[in-house]
Structures are given as structure tokens and as C-alpha cells.
Amino acid sequence: MSDDPIVQRFAALGTATVSDALDKHVRPGSLLGLAPLTDGQHMAGRAYTVRYVSAQTPAGTVGDYIDQVQPGQVVVLDNDARVDCTVWGDILTAVAHHRGIAGTVIEGVCRDTHRALSLGYPIYSHGRFMRTGKDRVEVAEEQGPVTIGGVTVRPGDILLGDSDGVVVIPQDIEEDILETAETIHRREESILEAALNGATIAEARARFGYHNLQRAEG
């Protein structure tokens, strides 16, 4: 777990709650099409980004960036949504888990999933495919902006993942998103408590403003 207090507070929330908070602030952040490798995954950390392009002539490498990623960070790989070759597999999973990296998010696919499943290492991607990316893609840039699930992710942005998928919280507005998300969480807990203690859903929702929780103001 990251020792960053903002990350720790986000880690206590669900992606659905944070997605609602992003809606309220009219900021994109829900990463479309990315799914967890398995149910029960949970991940929170700041982004370390890597962007891939098709291999040139002569071909470059898929990169040794993992040596630069710090414990608690999330590896964010933009492989241009390619599903014909992978940019994450067995060795990277084992090293990342050993070093305390929080998880991996891929605009593309992964392989050697048995290792991640056995270690409980969180991976979010567009699926699985066994063919290597070596000599098919190469690293174009590290620690620059990338596009994941239709959303721009920048180094230092917070990534939160659970069984529903992944959201990204832009660093420039993270404290506002956090405050809103925590308020939404408290109100939804109050709605649930009221409903379980005899109120109708309509009454409980009206009492705590359920239908306006995610609605942008103004």
C-alpha cells in the first residue's frame, strides 16, 4: 500500500463512487473497456506511464522501465489498444509484485496470466493474448501523457481499480474529487441505513439527495 495519504483515502472508496464524483466535476476518468484479470482485485497508486508505437527498422525494445517504477506506483502502458501482441507478461509481473508496485493498467492485452493470478497481482487490460510484443512494438516515451480507455493519463495521476474496472483521478483536481467522493460515499451509506431501517427507497433517496449526488452544479 502506498504511504501517500491521498492515495490511501482513495483506496478506501469504490470506482463507482469516484466515477460519480468525476461526473459531478465534469471531468473524464472512467477507463472504457478495461477489465480486471479476476474479480476481487483492488489497486490504488500514482501512474508511471509508458507509450508504445509499432516497431521501427531496426526494431527498438519493449523497454526496461520497470527498474524506474517506485513501490506503490501503478504501471500504465499505452499499446494503442493493440490486441495482436502483448507488452506485459510473466517476468514483469513477478518483478512488479516483488518490488511492491501497486498494479498494471494496459491499453492492450497481457499474457502469462497464471503468474498474476497466483500472486494476486492486479492487472487491468482489454484481455489476454500470448504473442509477444518484441519486434512488433517498441517504447516511444516514458513518463509522458498516454491515452487509456479514451482518457488521458499523466504521470502522477491516481489510478483506482476494483472489480468494476479502473478510474483515473487527474492530479490537478484530486483533492476536490476526493472530497466529493467521500461525501457521496457517506450519503449513500446513510441511504442504505435508512432503507434497512424501514424507510422506502424513495424516502431515503429524497432525504439524502441521491439523484443529485453525481449531477454537475450550475
Side-chain angles (χ1 to χ4, degrees), residues 50-135:
V50 181
R51 182 173 58 87
Y52 287 89
V53 294
S54 295
Q56 308 299 305
T57 304
T61 75
V62 291
D64 299 317
Y65 60 84
I66 199 71
D67 294 328
Q68 311 307 319
V69 183
Q70 299 301 304
Q73 288 187 307
V74 173
V75 178
V76 182
L77 306 177
D78 180 359
N79 196 28
D80 199 29
R82 287 182 65 160
V83 295
D84 64 322
C85 65
T86 64
V87 290
W88 186 271
D90 189 21
I91 294 173
L92 288 171
T93 293
V95 170
H97 179 264
H98 179 72
R99 294 183 181 177
I101 292 169
T104 299
V105 174
I106 310 169
E107 180 75 341
V109 292
C110 60
R111 71 176 187 174
D112 300 320
T113 55
H114 65 281
R115 178 74 70 178
L117 292 169
S118 68
L119 293 174
Y121 181 80
I123 297 177
Y124 294 83
S125 71
H126 290 283
R128 318 173 189 193
F129 193 57
M130 80 298 299
R131 190 160 64 189
T132 182
K134 289 183 287 187
D135 295 333

Side-chain angles (χ1 to χ4, degrees), residues 5-19:
I6 299 292
V7 172
Q8 290 176 352
R9 286 167 65 185
F10 271 112
L13 300 168
T15 58
T17 301
V18 175
S19 177

